């Protein structure tokens, strides 16, 4: 079997474009992969066009390791977010093809499953007015939908510092959310790399009474020494890793032992097998894995294949019940959360199919997501000229 070509389909929303890549073969099997880019979708499509000619067409889709190696190192230049995201889409699609050809789910090819259910946590649910009353109501809707975990960034446009008024307001939002979800649901506290170490530590102590399940990306991701400083001073798990795009770059993070939970994005770090290798390394450091998952249903399905066969997998992020829920229709067999969990699929490959006609109903947009802009949490289109 050989790859004859790829096709790309971009599903657009005002705040994110989802790129789906279909890999076609000479035996009629087609696989699909997905990633979500912020402000770099056209660059990704351009890279994939070149990679198709240089590396992909003519390759054996069963030889996943070899194809990833060629795409990552065959152009000599160091692979970054765009290249690793392109690799991820193609890699996922090849696993999908391989599973379909052999009649087994991908997790069966990666060692077999260790779980039948994967816990989910909700994100994208607080696209409402930024008030305690509105957040309480929105959080209630999350738990009423069956979720037992959810995540929130309550810090507005905070950057490096947050004054006392902003701190008190963020505390009031978290207090309202904890009151809505009760004492047992997991509440993940997201910082989006906003703060200096001292501010992150101060805010973590302010939030401690509400028992966050983790403190996510408290400082910008480029300086791991700063993360160590935070980890040494807070008494809650530290989560990070969504903006690391090569598993080799996690080495320093593991050596520092500053993170309790790593959050690789399968769509940015080279795909399923690259993340499985990373998870195995994490296991040797007693570190849990909770992938960043802000894409659509194909990326979710791929993440669940990893979850099924990974002993140190903690939980999976899910946006699509709350933010842009209508885009779920572009994927047949889209994974669903029931009573707070995903069921592990036993269908061949990834267990999903892209509906290209449905995808065409959501054309690419000039999507933009600025975490330092007022009202970012609403994930809504900006008015003209703003």
């Amino acid at each position: 079997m050989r790859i004859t070509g790829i096709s790309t389909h971009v599903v657009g929303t005002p705040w994110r474009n989802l790129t789906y890549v279909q890999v076609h073969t000479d035996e009629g099997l087609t696989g699909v992969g997905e990633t979500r880019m912020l402000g770099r979708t056209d660059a990704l499509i351009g890279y994939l066009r070149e990679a198709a000619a240089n590396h992909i067409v003519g390759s054996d889709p069963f030889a996943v390791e070899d194809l990833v190696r060629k795409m990552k190192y065959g152009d000599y230049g160091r692979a970054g977010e765009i290249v690793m995201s392109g690799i991820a889409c193609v890699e996922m699609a090849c696993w999908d093809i391989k599973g379909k050809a052999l009649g087994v789910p991908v997790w069966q090819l990666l060692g077999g499953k260790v779980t039948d259910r994967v816990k989910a946590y909700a994100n994208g649910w607080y696209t409402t007015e930024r008030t305690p009353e509105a957040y309480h109501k929105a959080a209630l809707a999350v738990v009423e939908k069956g979720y037992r975990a959810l995540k929130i960034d309550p810090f507005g446009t905070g950057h490096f510092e947050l004054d006392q008024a902003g701190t008190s307001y963020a505390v009031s939002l978290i207090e309202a959310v904890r009151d809505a979800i009760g004492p047992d649901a997991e509440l993940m506290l997201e910082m989006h790399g906003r703060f200096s170490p001292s501010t992150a530590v101060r805010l973590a102590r302010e939030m401690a009474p509400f028992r966050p399940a983790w403190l996510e990306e408290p400082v910008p991701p480029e300086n791991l020494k700063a993360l160590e400083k935070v980890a040494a001073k807070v008494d809650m798990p530290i989560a990070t890793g969504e903006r690391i795009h090569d598993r080799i770059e996690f080495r320093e993070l593991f050596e520092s032992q500053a993170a309790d939970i790593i959050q690789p994005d399968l769509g940015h770090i080279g795909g399923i097998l690259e993340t499985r290798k990373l998870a195995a390394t994490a296991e040797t450091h007693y570190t849990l894995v909770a992938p960043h998952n802000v894409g659509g249903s194909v990326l979710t399905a791929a993440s669940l294949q990893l979850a099924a066969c990974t002993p140190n997998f903690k939980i999976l992020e899910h946006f699509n019940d709350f933010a842009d829920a209508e885009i779920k229709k572009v994927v047949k067999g889209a994974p669903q959360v029931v009573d707070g969990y995903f069921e592990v699929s036993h269908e061949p490959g990834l267990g999903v199919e892209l509906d290209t006609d449905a995808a065409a109903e959501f054309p690419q947009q000039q999507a933009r997501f600025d975490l330092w802009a007022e009202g970012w949490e609403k994930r809504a289109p900006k008015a003209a000229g703003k």
Side-chain angles (χ1 to χ4, degrees):
M1 187 186 301
R2 294 290 162 178
I3 296 172
T4 56
I6 66 172
S7 55
T8 57
H9 308 268
V10 178
V11 170
T13 79
W15 71 283
R16 59 177 177 166
N17 284 313
L18 308 179
T19 302
Y20 295 90
V21 177
Q22 290 181 309
V23 173
H24 308 282
T25 68
D26 58 4
E27 294 189 14
L29 284 175
T30 296
V32 64
E34 181 198 357
T35 193
R36 184 280 330 239
M37 304 298 295
L38 286 178
R40 301 176 178 92
T41 298
D42 290 340
L44 174 66
I45 299 298
Y47 164 69
L48 285 168
R49 188 183 306 115
E50 293 190 52
N54 293 335
H55 306 300
I56 302 169
V57 173
S59 292
D60 178 358
F62 272 44
V64 178
E65 190 86 66
D66 185 56
L67 181 53
V68 168
R69 180 186 58 82
K70 288 190 296 186
M71 292 179 72
K72 185 174 180 181
Y73 299 112
D75 297 318
Y76 185 68
R78 184 175 179 181
E81 180 184 10
I82 292 167
V83 170
M84 295 306 294
S85 300
I87 291 172
C89 291
V90 174
E91 193 261 10
M92 286 179 216
C94 287
W95 281 112
D96 193 24
I97 290 167
K98 195 169 186 176
K100 288 173 179 174
L102 298 174
V104 296
V106 172
W107 53 256
Q108 193 70 273
L109 303 174
L110 297 173
K113 65 183 173 70
V114 295
T115 186
D116 292 304
R117 297 200 309 162
V118 178
K119 192 173 183 179
Y121 74 86
N123 205 344
W125 57 271
Y126 52 105
T127 54
T128 184
E129 294 303 315
R130 193 169 173 270
T131 66
E133 296 77 16
Y135 276 31
H136 187 279
K137 182 179 179 181
L140 275 177
V142 175
V143 294
E144 287 169 358
K145 202 169 180 64
Y147 282 87
R148 302 172 190 181
L150 76 173
K151 187 164 76 178
I152 182 174
D153 175 344
F155 301 109
T157 59
H159 192 202
F160 286 155
E161 294 184 308
L162 194 68
D163 62 22
Q164 191 53 50
T167 299
S168 297
Y169 200 75
V171 168
S172 74
L173 296 176
I174 292 297
E175 183 177 29
V177 171
R178 175 54 80 188
D179 182 69
I181 67 176
D184 298 327
E186 288 189 278
L187 174 57
M188 287 74 174
L189 186 61
E190 167 75 270
M191 286 188 169
H192 280 125
R194 294 185 180 281
F195 299 117
S196 67
S198 60
T199 300
V201 169
R202 177 176 63 81
L203 291 171
R205 289 172 178 167
E206 294 270 7
M207 297 294 180
F210 308 106
R211 296 179 293 104
W214 69 51
L215 184 68
E216 180 169 339
E217 214 177 41
V219 295
E222 298 86 1
N223 184 346
L224 291 180
K225 289 292 184 184
L227 187 66
E228 286 184 61
K229 191 173 179 180
V230 175
K233 294 181 178 181
V234 301
D235 189 21
M236 62 183 69
I238 299 290
T240 195
E242 71 179 67
R243 289 190 276 180
I244 301 177
H245 304 130
D246 188 328
R247 63 183 170 85
I248 296 169
E249 294 176 7
F250 275 85
R251 177 187 56 80
E252 188 178 347
L253 184 63
F254 289 136
E255 288 176 352
S256 73
Q257 298 196 23
D260 304 282
I261 299 140
I262 58 167
Q263 300 173 292
D265 187 316
L266 273 71
H268 291 317
I269 202 166
I272 296 171
L273 186 56
E274 288 294 286
T275 314
R276 183 67 188 90
K277 292 176 182 178
L278 176 63
T281 305
E283 189 177 9
T284 68
H285 292 83
Y286 315 126
T287 301
L288 298 175
V289 180
H292 180 249
N293 180 42
V294 68
S297 296
V298 171
L299 191 57
T300 298
S303 298
L304 289 170
Q305 297 295 327
L306 173 80
C309 62
T310 301
N312 55 324
F313 197 98
K314 175 177 172 57
I315 196 167
L316 183 63
E317 184 172 22
H318 194 227
F319 268 80
N320 298 315
D321 277 340
F322 300 97
D324 316 316
E326 68 276 7
I327 66 168
K328 285 196 292 185
K329 74 177 187 177
V330 309
V331 175
K332 298 174 181 177
Q336 305 293 331
V337 176
V338 178
D339 294 331
Y341 287 81
F342 292 103
E343 293 290 333
V344 170
S345 171
H346 287 250
E347 295 299 314
L350 297 180
V352 295
E353 295 288 342
L354 179 68
D355 184 333
T356 56
D357 290 334
E361 298 176 20
F362 302 90
Q364 182 174 346
Q365 297 194 33
Q366 192 64 43
R368 188 155 185 268
F369 187 55
D370 183 355
L371 279 158
W372 283 268
E374 200 69 46
W376 67 266
E377 64 278 353
K378 295 182 180 180
R379 293 178 167 84
K382 303 298 181 187
K386 295 294 182 68

